[in-house]
Amino acid sequence: MTRDNIAASMMAKFKNWFIKTLDLNNDGFVTWADFEVAIEHIIPFKEADRNSRLMVVRKRMEQHYQKYFWDLCEFGDANKDGKIDLDEWLDVMDEIIGHLKMSSTFPEWYEGVYKALFRSQEFMDNRDISRDEFCHMMKVWNIEGDKAGKAFDFITKGGTVKMNYTLFSELMKKFVLTDEKGHPINMGLDA
């Protein structure tokens, strides 16, 4: 499959995104096991087991992540082996970039993972997240805190705009579309 939407300057970012942030068990594939690792980082089972509210949030997150994983497999698992390899991931990203360029929105199935990730930070029903919460959220994806902080500062204009889900979604769209090397929105993944 030709990738018409991923500029050559963006290839390193998408490869690093796959390797550093999605393939959390370093087996060369994105599988359900990688999502289980992410869930455990966000809400450790031991903590959730002692707090019924956290357990509800964790269970809800598991459901959202399972849906996203199976949607990802449906749209991106070309050989239907139940796992996404790097080439399949790049094909998916190429299609997502094309969709963004045409409609300025993520495909509905893809936006689900961002909603689940963002909602996992809203433990206290606060619709906005702080810079520290954002950096913690990005840490789940193995993005360094200082790099995540720079992206937060960029999108929130130095903290003058609240980081709600709409702004977070906007950040992720800019992340996917930006091909300027070294831009804070790339969170260091373009290096």
Side-chain angles (χ1 to χ4, degrees), residues 51-116:
N51 180 321
S52 61
R53 177 152 167 70
L54 282 180
M55 184 58 82
V56 169
V57 173
R58 182 183 163 106
K59 291 282 186 198
R60 192 176 318 134
M61 186 186 320
E62 287 173 355
Q63 291 168 345
H64 289 294
Y65 278 21
Q66 281 177 341
K67 180 180 180 347
Y68 169 72
F69 175 70
W70 292 118
D71 286 349
L72 178 61
C73 285
E74 180 181 333
F75 289 95
D77 185 10
N79 62 5
K80 303 299 180 202
D81 63 356
K83 39 191 177 177
I84 304 294
D85 64 29
L86 178 59
D87 281 330
E88 290 169 328
W89 170 250
L90 292 171
D91 291 344
V92 167
M93 291 314 303
D94 189 70
E95 289 182 29
I96 288 170
I97 291 168
H99 190 275
L100 269 170
K101 287 178 177 177
M102 286 179 36
S103 69
S104 298
T105 63
F106 283 124
E108 187 176 326
W109 71 268
Y110 185 74
E111 183 129 12
V113 73
Y114 296 127
K115 286 181 181 176

Side-chain angles (χ1 to χ4, degrees), residues 23-40:
D23 181 16
L24 296 177
N25 63 8
N26 300 311
D27 65 358
F29 302 97
V30 175
T31 64
W32 175 242
D34 296 298
F35 285 88
E36 290 176 316
V37 170
I39 291 166
E40 186 61 23

Side-chain angles (χ1 to χ4, degrees), residues 113-126:
V113 73
Y114 296 127
K115 286 181 181 176
L117 182 63
F118 189 83
R119 288 178 181 149
S120 71
Q121 298 302 311
E122 296 180 329
F123 298 142
M124 305 319 249
D125 295 323
N126 182 354

